[in-house]
Amino acid sequence: MATSAVQATPTGSGREVAVRIGAQVLVETLRRLGVTAIFGHPGGAALPIYDALYDARDIAHVLVRHEQVAAHAAVGYARATGRVGVCLATSGPGATNLVTGLTDAYMDSIPVVAITAQVPTAVIGRDAFQEADIIGLTLPITKHSYLVRDPADLPAALTEAFAVAASGRPGPVVVDVPRDVSQTPLAATRGEPAPSRRAGPRAPHAGQIAAAAALLRDARRPVIYAGGGVISAGASVELTRLVDQTGVPVTVTLMGKGAIDEHHPRCLGMLGMHGTVCANYAVDAADVVLAVGVRFDDRVTGRLRDFAPQARFIHIDIDPAEIGKNKPAHVPIVADARAALGALADALPDPLPLEAWWRQLEEWQARYPLRYRQGDDVIKPQFVCETLARLTGDRAVVVTDVGQHQMWAAQFCRPRAPRTFISSGGLGAMGFGFPAALGAQVARPDATVVALVGDGGFQMTMQDLITAVEWRLPVKVVVLNNGSLGMVRQWQEFFYRQRYSHVFLRNPDFARLAEVFGAQGRSVRRPDEVEAALAWMLAVPDGPCVLDVHVDPQENCLPMIPSGQSVKEMILG
Amino acid sequence: MASAAPTPQPGTAAATATANGGGGGPRTLGVLVEMRAAVLERVAGLLRRRGYPVRELVLGRTEEPHLARLFVVLEEGASGEQVAKNLNKLVDVRRVADLSAQPTVVRELALIKVDVTPGTRQEVLLAARVFRARVVDMGERTLTLEVSGRPEKVDALYRLLRRYGVRELVRSGPLALVRGPQST
């Protein structure tokens, strides 16, 4: 392949000199779009693309050991930076292995572009070797997708894919590239894609802002319910300004963690199924709820009709279809969260008279703190999370897997900045944590990235420890090891009369396993060793390390509002 | 003959009021889409996975080769607004209009094959004339009618013919355009 000719080709001059093949155009387009890292795995149909990547020294291709990791890593990359994450897989099994990660990106509105190779156009639809209809497979879990049939369309398709993924409500986009399309020489591309007809960030309607301001001004018990949309809109500054000016309390969703500094005195922490008592009581008693960048997920609301039953709702969302989906909004504001919160802060420059409300909130905070009892013999998982938060000053990038540890992390880690708490919210995909941490560490090489995982979820994707070793990515893996699928065990205990069906795990020695992979590893079994072990881990200079923390296998995650119920049915700690 | 027609004629107030019964009745959404690969799949898949109660889905070409018009008829009681907002999120969707809320011309084509006997043939032919249906096939035991008009008109003719025995029926589903200069 004429790879040397490519370097000699003047790009962007309008005059095409050398003949390039589709794959080279694809790689050039990725470079022009500012892509510096791709998570991927090669295979037959992807060979032309990989051949073109051979020369792309400025694009780091992280070879993962399973495409699921590529997709989760792309999500981690995107969530740590706000930039579009990119994953690459071959046709058939390569592409299908991306599906879990893409679904995660769809549920959590994360901008990801998945480039999948496809069998040659001539055999598409004939059940060719390693053929899968990836467009069809991903239709319900992508914002959009492209099957590129002509190499001249590659730049436009990719450019549009990146724009679609990142604009409006972000989400995943698939670009499927048949092998012959990436192999075909082409003299010229179709030039720049037409400017997108999709509008930029929407400005809020002035009348609705005034209505929202009036509602808040008259409120006696207002609460802000802030979600992931605040983070993706980059609206943390505006949210904080609004809170500082008005004194309205804020509660965050799992996706909204870090939307405001959770050490802020007006922040009540997380709400929902495993949220703080105060946050849930506050919403329950609220007369006005300002919902911003949230989708009234059932893990937050419980039984819908009992969610904030006395409240009038102001709902800010970039996606009109979210408004009224689960709960009707009295003041709907379809807009970019940053613009809307900024306008609202301008309209409400003074503190609101909320002294009585805060007296009530502080009483709840004092009466119902998150609690656990750390004794001398077994390690409480909450103690590990709390100690980690203290040692890092809540400034590390914490990436969790899914399960009990995820909720303990959500309760005890109080991130100070957006994009420093990353978790699989909507899909709840076990196996997400470690790969997403890999992606976050690639995106932010200088940051301390901690993957807080359970023993169950870690085993779903831990093979990629070797990838971290290979790239010397200093991801710090903390395994909260309780020898079971803890959240499932908890539900079986509470709701299935302790019939513990297939929930206990025989685990490998994670510390020794890390060493086999070439990473550093340590095990901890006693409470008095926890702090030193965490400090050791945080000090490991380069390369990954695994801290296997054997925690109390009986511990449950509380408080808890059982699925489909309300605050009234909350199980306290 | 027109005066005897059981359904209002085009151009009368009743016919122009709504596409199919505004308020509680089934709603029709007119969706202008880019005619690209998988566009029908995207729309149908969205409607299916959200569980919207779709009665009919009709796709037709338009004056622009790269655009198509899609008509989504929802069962009674469905929220056209949520469906419209979700359809609007699809990249290939240009515009969504709730046609139930504005004056439209709505037409549907149907072919109806009716059993006839020497005794009922004249009655069926009379019904066809009243409904301005054309006879497109005539045999010893069956008669096939072509009728076009508002869906209610097709319904009415079908109800009338059922007593003779409708052997087969095929309907196109509705096509619609907003009246006057404004686009659909």
Side-chain angles (χ1 to χ4, degrees):
Chain A
M1 257 149 242
T3 43
S4 56
V6 172
Q7 260 95 28
T9 304
T11 50
S13 67
R15 196 168 51 92
E16 306 292 339
V17 181
V19 171
R20 301 159 305 159
I21 62 167
Q24 291 166 327
V25 172
L26 183 147
V27 170
E28 267 172 40
T29 308
L30 291 178
R31 187 179 286 126
R32 191 168 46 74
L33 289 164
V35 174
T36 54
I38 297 175
F39 303 91
H41 197 287
L47 280 171
I49 299 172
Y50 273 86
D51 193 68
L53 280 173
Y54 189 78
D55 299 304
R57 293 295 168 201
D58 51 338
I59 299 179
H61 176 277
V62 179
L63 172 65
V64 294
R65 299 325 193 237
H66 190 293
E67 292 87 350
Q68 180 189 3
V69 170
H72 287 321
V75 167
Y77 181 98
R79 290 187 62 174
T81 57
R83 307 214 304 268
V84 176
V86 183
C87 53
L88 169 61
T90 193
S91 67
T96 57
N97 279 346
L98 296 174
V99 167
T100 302
L102 293 178
T103 312
D104 176 86
Y106 187 72
M107 295 291 278
D108 286 345
S109 307
I110 307 303
V112 165
V113 168
I115 299 163
T116 52
Q118 184 53 276
V119 298
T121 44
V123 295
I124 287 180
R126 293 169 189 272
D127 302 326
F129 178 66
Q130 292 197 328
E131 179 182 2
D133 173 15
I134 197 64
I135 298 285
L137 279 162
T138 56
L139 278 178
I141 53 152
T142 46
K143 263 185 94 175
H144 196 53
S145 46
Y146 301 85
L147 171 59
V148 184
R149 288 183 175 274
D150 181 339
D153 292 334
L154 272 168
L158 278 167
T159 308
E160 222 181 280
F162 274 67
V164 169
S167 61
R169 178 177 181 173
V173 177
V174 166
V175 182
D176 202 25
V177 187
R179 183 179 167 140
D180 55 320
V181 169
S182 54
Q183 267 175 328
T184 305
L186 69 158
T189 64
R190 272 197 230 297
E192 290 299 302
S196 172
R197 60 181 178 79
R198 304 190 80 73
R202 273 179 77 160
H205 186 275
Q208 297 298 76
I209 291 291
L215 214 52
L216 282 167
R217 210 174 279 122
D218 290 341
R220 288 292 157 265
R221 301 179 306 278
V223 175
I224 298 173
Y225 156 30
V230 176
I231 293 171
S232 56
S236 290
V237 172
E238 287 72 12
L239 175 62
T240 308
R241 178 157 71 96
L242 179 67
V243 171
D244 284 339
Q245 284 174 192
T246 60
V248 176
V250 188
T251 171
V252 294
T253 67
L254 181 69
M255 289 299 295
K257 283 186 70 68
I260 187 166
D261 178 348
E262 289 186 40
H263 292 257
H264 192 290
R266 301 296 182 204
C267 184
L268 309 178
M270 187 173 78
L271 82 167
M273 182 178 275
H274 292 288
T276 64
V277 174
C278 179
N280 283 322
Y281 278 10
V283 172
D284 188 51
D287 58 356
V288 173
V289 168
L290 169 59
V292 50
V294 299
R295 56 190 181 81
F296 291 82
D297 177 62
D298 59 278
R299 279 292 185 273
V300 166
T301 64
R303 198 188 300 123
L304 263 176
R305 70 180 144 83
D306 292 331
F307 180 68
Q310 309 162 49
R312 290 207 273 177
F313 289 96
I314 304 161
H315 192 177
I316 301 171
D317 208 289
I318 190 86
D319 179 357
E322 280 308 318
I323 295 189
K325 182 182 79 176
N326 292 340
K327 201 79 177 164
H330 300 86
V331 183
I333 302 175
V334 177
D336 175 63
R338 193 171 162 186
L341 288 171
L344 212 45
D346 289 341
L348 290 165
D350 306 312
L352 297 174
L354 302 173
E355 292 77 12
W357 183 220
W358 270 106
R359 269 197 300 282
Q360 173 67 77
L361 295 170
E362 280 158 9
E363 188 201 316
W364 284 330
Q365 281 178 319
R367 201 191 315 167
Y368 305 106
L370 289 167
R371 60 179 127 212
Y372 63 94
R373 285 180 202 83
Q374 180 59 67
D376 293 336
D377 41 343
V378 281
I379 300 171
K380 292 290 181 184
Q382 300 94 326
F383 174 64
V384 183
C385 296
E386 195 167 38
T387 309
L388 176 71
R390 179 164 53 79
L391 291 180
T392 58
D394 273 321
R395 290 177 202 283
V397 177
V398 172
V399 187
T400 83
D401 207 82
V402 170
Q404 281 183 321
H405 75 276
Q406 177 188 29
M407 292 298 115
W408 285 316
Q411 290 175 341
F412 290 92
C413 297
R414 294 183 293 153
R416 292 179 175 276
R419 305 198 178 282
T420 61
F421 189 92
I422 297 171
S423 194
S424 175
L427 189 63
M430 280 177 69
F432 169 88
F434 175 62
L438 274 186
Q441 187 77 77
V442 167
R444 297 193 52 197
D446 299 328
T448 299
V449 177
V450 181
L452 195 58
V453 301
D455 44 326
F458 186 43
Q459 288 187 73
M460 287 188 171
T461 44
M462 68 182 179
Q463 77 283 343
D464 270 80
L465 262 178
I466 194 65
T467 308
V469 169
E470 191 168 52
W471 284 80
R472 296 180 67 165
L473 295 169
V475 175
K476 298 162 193 325
V477 182
V478 180
V479 186
L480 289 186
N481 185 346
N482 57 9
S484 69
L485 304 169
M487 193 60 95
V488 182
R489 191 201 57 74
Q490 178 170 336
W491 283 49
Q492 289 177 344
E493 180 183 327
F494 287 5
F495 311 118
Y496 293 86
R497 294 178 295 148
Q498 302 180 35
R499 285 159 53 87
Y500 296 120
S501 183
H502 305 281
V503 76
F504 297 109
L505 298 170
R506 176 174 177 159
N507 287 324
D509 180 334
F510 291 113
R512 280 178 59 202
L513 186 93
E515 285 167 4
V516 170
F517 275 112
Q520 301 202 45
R522 247 194 217 193
S523 295
V524 189
R525 291 170 190 277
R526 288 157 36 105
D528 59 4
E529 298 170 329
V530 168
E531 180 163 347
L534 285 170
W536 162 80
M537 179 194 80
L538 292 168
V540 170
D542 66 352
C545 56
V546 175
L547 188 64
D548 183 13
V549 189
H550 293 260
V551 298
D552 184 353
Q554 314 281 321
E555 191 65 21
N556 287 323
C557 188
L558 295 171
M560 176 183 192
I561 300 172
S563 183
Q565 302 203 31
S566 78
V567 159
K568 308 269 183 300
E569 287 89 7
M570 180 158 37
I571 303 167
L572 297 170
Chain B
M1 197 60 73
S3 61
T7 51
Q9 291 304 295
T12 65
T16 55
T18 55
N20 27 34
R27 302 193 85 78
T28 302
L29 301 178
V31 188
L32 192 64
V33 298
E34 312 232 0
M35 217 28 213
R36 287 199 288 220
V39 64
L40 189 58
E41 250 177 299
R42 283 181 209 282
V43 171
L46 169 75
L47 298 169
R48 177 195 55 76
R49 72 177 189 272
R50 294 258 173 213
Y52 296 132
V54 176
R55 181 181 292 188
E56 277 166 308
L57 196 57
V58 183
L59 182 74
R61 295 185 160 191
T62 68
E63 71 283 3
E64 302 260 14
H66 64 283
L67 293 180
R69 271 184 214 288
L70 195 78
F71 298 96
V72 182
V73 184
L74 298 166
E75 296 288 358
E76 271 177 53
S79 159
E81 196 188 341
Q82 270 300 325
V83 179
K85 287 198 289 193
N86 274 284
L87 286 170
N88 257 320
K89 288 167 65 165
L90 295 176
V91 169
D92 289 338
V93 167
R94 280 271 187 98
R95 192 166 63 238
V96 183
D98 187 346
L99 299 179
S100 320
Q102 44 195 322
T104 47
V105 183
V106 186
R107 289 294 175 273
E108 183 171 5
L109 176 71
L111 296 172
I112 309 174
K113 191 189 288 180
V114 196
D115 285 323
V116 288
T117 64
T120 61
R121 188 187 305 268
Q122 285 309 317
E123 289 175 37
V124 172
L125 286 171
L126 176 64
R129 270 205 302 282
V130 169
F131 278 82
R132 295 183 172 184
R134 287 172 51 196
V135 178
V136 289
D137 184 56
M138 195 180 223
E140 269 181 46
R141 297 215 290 260
T142 62
L143 207 148
T144 304
L145 302 180
E146 171 197 313
V147 63
S148 77
R150 298 196 308 134
E152 296 88 325
K153 174 178 167 183
V154 178
D155 290 343
L157 178 58
Y158 170 65
R159 274 199 302 275
L160 192 67
L161 295 175
R162 239 179 352 198
R163 51 191 288 232
Y164 303 104
V166 170
R167 201 171 268 234
E168 283 183 293
L169 164 79
V170 60
R171 297 175 68 155
S172 67
L175 298 180
L177 285 179
V178 169
R179 287 181 181 273
Q182 87 200 77
S183 49
T184 304

